Amino acid sequence: MSGPPDSAPARPPISGVSSRALREALSGEPRYRVDQLSRAVFREAATGFEEILTLPAGLRATLAQRFNYEALEAVRSETSSDGTRKILFRTTDGAAVETVQMPTERPGATTICLSSQAGCGMGCTFCATGAMGLTRNLTASEIVDQFLHFRRRSTERQTPDRAVFMGMGEPLANLREVERAVRTLVNPKAVGLSPRRVTVSTVGLSRGIHVMAGWGLPVSLAISLHAPDDDVRAQLVPVARRFPLGSLMEASRRYQQQARRRVTYEYTLLHGVNDSLSQAADLARLLRRQRCHVNLIPFNAYPGARYRPTPRDGIRAFRDALRERGLRATIRRTRGRDISGACGQLHAGALAGRARRTASANLRRDGG
Ligand code: SAH
Ligand code: SF4
C-alpha cells in the first residue's frame, strides 16, 4: 500500500496544522488570532489568506509564505441535470481525485461525497475506481479540503452539512489519515459537523471496523455487503476472501454496540448475480436481530463494465422481500449519473489529461 508522498510539501496545508503549531506560528500575536484564523479556514468563505480581513495584512502575508491555503487545486467541474456537482481535483504531486456534492431532501442542504484515496486498490469487479488501481492514500488535509472547497463556495441554498466517505478509495485502507480527517470534520473548533452526519463506507475490512469502534465517536458506518454468502461476495469483492462474513458480522455487531449506532449495509444489485429472491431471503437471515438498515444501490454502468443493472421492478421486489422479513430496506436514489458522478463511476485517471486542457473553461462556466 502506498502512503502520502515522502517529501512533505514545502508549505503544509493550513487545515492540517495542529492547534499547537498554529499557536507557535502566531506567537507574538494576541491569543484570539488562533481562533480568528481557525474560524476563517474552517467556517467562512475565504479562499485564500489574503481574503481573511479580520487579520492584519502583514500577518496574512506571513501566513501565506508559511502555509498553503488549500491542499487541492480544482481543475474541472461538472454539473448534472439533477443538481449534482462533481469536481476533479489535483494534489500538489499531480494525483487526480474526484469529489461529488449532492442535493438532498433536507431543504438547502447538500451532502459531500469524499474520496479517501486517489484510486483504490481493492479491485471490486463492479467499480470503475477499482479498475483504475491505487495511486496513493490521501492525507487528512486532502480529505478535509474536499469538504471545505464546497463549504467556501456554496450559496445558502447548497450548504454542505453531511459528509460520506463514498467517493474514490477504501477509507479503512487509509485508517490513520481518515481518522484524523474525521476528527477534524466533527471537531466543533474545526469543521464542526455532527458525528452522525459523517458516514464511513467500507468494503468490509473487519480489522479496520474494530479500530473504528475504538475511536469513541458515534459516526455512521456503512458496510458494502453485496452478497449474503462468501462465494458470491468474493467474486465481487476480492478482499472478502481475507475477511469472510463471519468476521465481518462480528466486527459490525461490535460497532453497533460501541457506537450505539444502526449500521447500514450497502448492496449493489447486479442482474443475475446477487439479485434473486432467494438471495434476499438469505440476506434477511444473515442480518436477523441486528440493528441495521439495508440500502439497495442500483448498479451504475461505466465503460467496460461487465455487469448489467437489475430492472426497476426486480429492485422493488428484492426490497419488498427484505421488508416482509422485518428488515428496514430502501433503494438509493441515483444522483449525477449523466456526469459519471454516481456510486462506482468515479474514475479520475481517465479524465486527468482532458481536464488540464478544459479546466479553466469549465470552472468559469460552472463558477467552481
Ligand atoms: N470503498 C468504499 C467506499 C466507496 S464506494 C466501499 O466500497 O464501501 C461507495 C459505494 O458504491 C459502495 O457501496 C460500493 O459498493 C458502491 N459501488 C461501487 N461501484 C458501483 C457501481 N458501479 N454501481 C453502484 N454502486 C457501486
Ligand atoms: Fe474500492 Fe469501494 Fe470501489 Fe471496491 S467499491 S474498488 S472498495 S471504491
Side-chain angles (χ1 to χ4, degrees), residues 120-124 126-131 167-170 203 224 226 344:
C120 183
M122 297 292 130
C124 300
F126 54 91
C127 173
T129 312
M168 303 173 96
E170 167 49 39
V203 70
S224 295
H226 310 311

Side-chain angles (χ1 to χ4, degrees), residues 12-15 68-73 89-93 136 139-143 145-146 152:
I14 190 75
S15 67
N68 248 338
Y69 200 75
E70 298 189 289
L72 301 167
E73 182 196 357
F89 291 106
R90 195 169 42 210
T91 62
T92 48
D93 63 334
R136 71 163 168 86
T139 63
S141 306
E142 287 166 340
I143 297 169
D145 281 10
Q146 295 170 52
R152 289 167 185 159

Side-chain angles (χ1 to χ4, degrees), residues 59-288:
L59 181 56
R60 292 190 309 239
T62 312
L63 288 168
Q65 274 165 8
R66 288 195 59 177
F67 302 109
N68 248 338
Y69 200 75
E70 298 189 289
L72 301 167
E73 182 196 357
V75 290
R76 183 184 164 88
S77 158
E78 287 176 277
T79 304
S80 156
S81 52
D82 65 20
T84 301
R85 285 183 76 204
K86 181 173 79 170
I87 305 266
L88 171 66
F89 291 106
R90 195 169 42 210
T91 62
T92 48
D93 63 334
V97 176
E98 288 184 324
T99 310
V100 179
Q101 179 181 39
M102 298 172 292
T104 65
E105 264 89 64
R106 303 181 304 286
T110 56
T111 295
I112 308 299
C113 184
L114 298 173
S115 291
S116 55
Q117 301 180 309
C120 183
M122 297 292 130
C124 300
T125 54
F126 54 91
C127 173
T129 312
M132 66 184 278
L134 177 65
T135 306
R136 71 163 168 86
N137 281 336
L138 298 182
T139 63
S141 306
E142 287 166 340
I143 297 169
V144 169
D145 281 10
Q146 295 170 52
F147 189 89
L148 294 179
H149 174 91
F150 290 97
R151 176 173 266 187
R152 289 167 185 159
R153 291 163 179 86
S154 295
T155 65
E156 265 171 41
R157 294 202 325 269
Q158 318 161 308
T159 311
D161 71 347
R162 199 176 279 247
V164 296
F165 283 80
M166 293 186 189
M168 303 173 96
E170 167 49 39
L172 301 190
N174 182 16
L175 256 174
R176 200 186 58 164
E177 297 300 311
V178 166
E179 178 181 357
R180 285 184 56 202
V182 168
R183 291 195 184 280
T184 305
L185 289 170
V186 305
N187 180 350
K189 291 204 147 179
V191 180
L193 294 181
S194 150
R196 281 155 212 282
R197 292 194 163 177
V198 174
T199 300
V200 173
S201 172
T202 174
V203 70
L205 306 186
S206 313
R207 240 183 283 140
I209 296 173
H210 283 290
V211 174
M212 252 187 91
W215 289 356
L217 292 173
V219 297
S220 303
L221 174 66
I223 297 176
S224 295
L225 200 55
H226 310 311
D229 67 274
D230 281 318
D231 284 346
V232 176
R233 194 156 186 272
Q235 275 175 42
L236 306 176
V237 177
V239 288
R241 289 193 190 94
R242 276 171 49 214
F243 300 103
L245 284 170
S247 86
L248 183 54
M249 292 299 112
E250 188 191 313
S252 174
R253 281 205 190 81
R254 162 120 183 264
Y255 195 82
Q256 292 164 47
Q257 283 158 7
Q258 299 273 126
R260 296 178 196 279
R261 301 286 291 141
R262 189 180 291 276
V263 161
T264 296
Y265 290 103
E266 295 164 285
Y267 196 106
T268 299
L269 285 161
L270 307 168
H271 197 39
V273 177
N274 64 359
D275 63 348
S276 74
L277 292 183
S278 71
Q279 284 164 315
D282 290 346
L283 182 61
R285 212 168 302 121
L286 179 71
L287 303 182
R288 202 173 36 197

